[in-house]
Amino acid sequence: VLIPVLFVWIYFYTQGIVEDFIFYAWTYNTVYYLPSQSLSIRLLNNVKLLGEFFIDKPLLLVGIILASISLIRDTYHNFPNPWKFFASHQVGLFIWLGASLVGSLAGGRAFVHYLIPSMIPMSLVLAQEWDRWLQKIGNGKRTSLWAMLVLSLVIPSAYNLYIHVETMKIDYSTSEYDQAISYVHEMTSSDEKIFVWGFAPQIYVLSERRPASRFSFCNPLTGHLPAATEEMENTDQYIVPFAWDSLKVDFEAHPPTYIIDLQPTHLWSYGKYPLQKYPFWQRYLTHYEADSNFQSQYPDEKIVLYHRK
């Protein structure tokens, strides 16, 4: 656990941005992201998240329930000898699972990818419990053993294969930003940088152009917080205090060749964040002009490209 954390820490230290690392890894989440929703809403989101997750994966739920019953039974039998009990790796797996669930649910958002850290201990708990049941059945009738193997292996594998085939039909190399992406890629060289105003960091990847600032998306600059501030007209209270100063420093070091303004698309709630609202952009855009060639090539495109004069 500590070795990868140490390598990450060394990298940020050598780059001289440890303060940024601490802020965005801890302070931003605890001071801005979490308080944007009440405790009651976060708890309801957690119930919804776990409910949807286990409804989609009933075998996992059954296995964890059976493993929990086994753990309670073993606790009762080993009560006179607690050291032997706590030394078992069954307890270790449950401690791991509990700790990972605390981390996964701490954000209070009903996004299934938040549960990724919990899936490994969940799977190991299920595997251990399934192994115990297979050993019991294996000592009995062979037909029952094969039935359990089919239930535990063939059916889930077939289901996952079906999901995988459906997923492979999706072309992730395309997006609603394709025209702007192809244009920027054509009009810039690989050493030029761009800046995307909005919440679409995939534009940097798909256009193969590096960001001109540390902000791969603009939520720290606008105060937009997914699943929390969509209905709020003014989110200035969630703007990171030094974010705009950081953007100025980054742009002075390497000004973007293109500024890609996604506000007119209204995607990801960014319709309420026009560039003209912010004093920084009112000053900085004097160095830029709207790319009329892009607009003439794609007259139906809502995205606005600003090219450095």
Side-chain angles (χ1 to χ4, degrees):
V1 172
L2 293 178
I3 288 174
V5 173
L6 178 63
F7 276 109
V8 171
W9 184 270
I10 290 173
Y11 171 78
F12 280 90
Y13 179 80
T14 56
Q15 299 298 313
I17 49 175
V18 170
E19 289 184 0
D20 274 23
F21 172 57
I22 294 173
F23 182 87
Y24 288 106
W26 178 257
T27 312
Y28 180 74
N29 288 287
T30 56
V31 177
Y32 295 86
Y33 189 60
L34 283 180
S36 64
Q37 287 186 328
S38 66
L39 178 60
S40 60
I41 292 177
R42 298 206 299 272
L43 291 174
L44 287 173
N45 282 339
N46 288 336
V47 172
K48 177 184 176 183
L49 173 60
L50 290 175
E52 292 178 349
F53 179 77
F54 285 120
I55 288 173
D56 186 53
K57 299 167 178 61
L59 278 178
L60 190 58
L61 177 61
V62 171
I64 290 175
I65 291 174
L66 293 175
S68 302
I69 294 172
S70 300
L71 181 67
I72 294 171
R73 188 194 62 236
D74 292 346
T75 303
Y76 175 77
H77 289 311
N78 290 292
F79 186 74
N81 189 1
W83 293 113
K84 179 182 178 182
F85 169 67
F86 282 110
S88 70
H89 68 264
Q90 183 187 24
V91 175
L93 284 177
F94 268 91
I95 292 174
W96 181 7
L97 176 58
S100 66
L101 280 174
V102 169
S104 297
L105 301 176
R109 265 64 173 183
F111 302 140
V112 70
H113 64 270
Y114 277 34
L115 288 174
I116 289 174
S118 303
M119 290 181 183
I120 296 175
M122 279 184 191
S123 300
L124 291 174
V125 167
L126 175 62
Q128 183 175 262
E129 186 61 21
W130 219 243
D131 177 67
R132 192 173 66 82
W133 278 90
L134 288 173
Q135 287 187 33
K136 281 187 176 182
I137 295 171
N139 295 328
K141 295 181 179 179
R142 189 176 297 272
T143 305
S144 300
L145 176 61
W146 280 108
M148 287 288 283
L149 285 172
V150 169
L151 181 64
S152 62
L153 294 176
V154 177
I155 294 177
S157 297
Y159 174 74
N160 284 322
L161 179 63
Y162 168 75
I163 295 297
H164 178 70
V165 170
E166 291 300 308
T167 304
M168 290 297 290
K169 295 178 182 178
I170 303 173
D171 185 1
Y172 289 103
S173 67
T174 63
S175 75
E176 54 269 73
Y177 314 111
D178 280 351
Q179 293 175 337
I181 287 169
S182 59
Y183 185 85
V184 167
H185 181 82
E186 180 183 349
M187 300 301 292
T188 58
S189 59
S190 59
D191 60 337
E192 292 181 284
K193 295 179 171 60
I194 63 174
F195 181 80
V196 178
W197 177 253
F199 191 31
Q202 62 267 39
I203 291 179
Y204 296 110
V205 179
L206 297 177
S207 67
E208 300 178 351
R209 297 296 178 261
R210 298 179 67 184
S213 83
R214 71 196 71 189
F215 301 106
S216 58
F217 56 90
C218 299
N219 294 355
L221 298 160
T222 62
H224 172 60
L225 297 173
T229 61
E230 278 86 350
E231 304 302 322
M232 296 176 61
E233 190 60 34
N234 190 331
T235 60
D236 289 353
Q237 60 180 310
Y238 298 114
I239 293 176
V240 173
F242 55 81
W244 286 100
D245 293 333
S246 299
L247 184 67
K248 179 182 178 182
V249 170
D250 293 345
F251 278 9
E252 287 175 350
H254 25 68
T257 302
Y258 275 97
I259 294 170
I260 303 172
D261 182 13
L262 303 182
Q263 182 271 335
T265 67
H266 289 251
L267 291 169
W268 291 98
S269 300
Y270 262 80
K272 57 189 175 186
Y273 302 119
L275 292 175
Q276 293 72 21
K277 172 184 175 181
Y278 302 95
F280 174 87
W281 287 120
Q282 293 172 13
R283 295 188 301 270
Y284 198 77
L285 284 180
T286 58
H287 304 292
Y288 288 78
E289 58 187 1
D291 193 316
S292 57
N293 185 46
F294 174 74
Q295 293 174 327
S296 62
Q297 279 193 40
Y298 307 106
D300 297 329
E301 178 60 79
K302 294 180 180 179
I303 294 174
V304 178
L305 296 187
Y306 292 96
H307 184 261
R308 188 166 180 82
K309 293 180 182 178

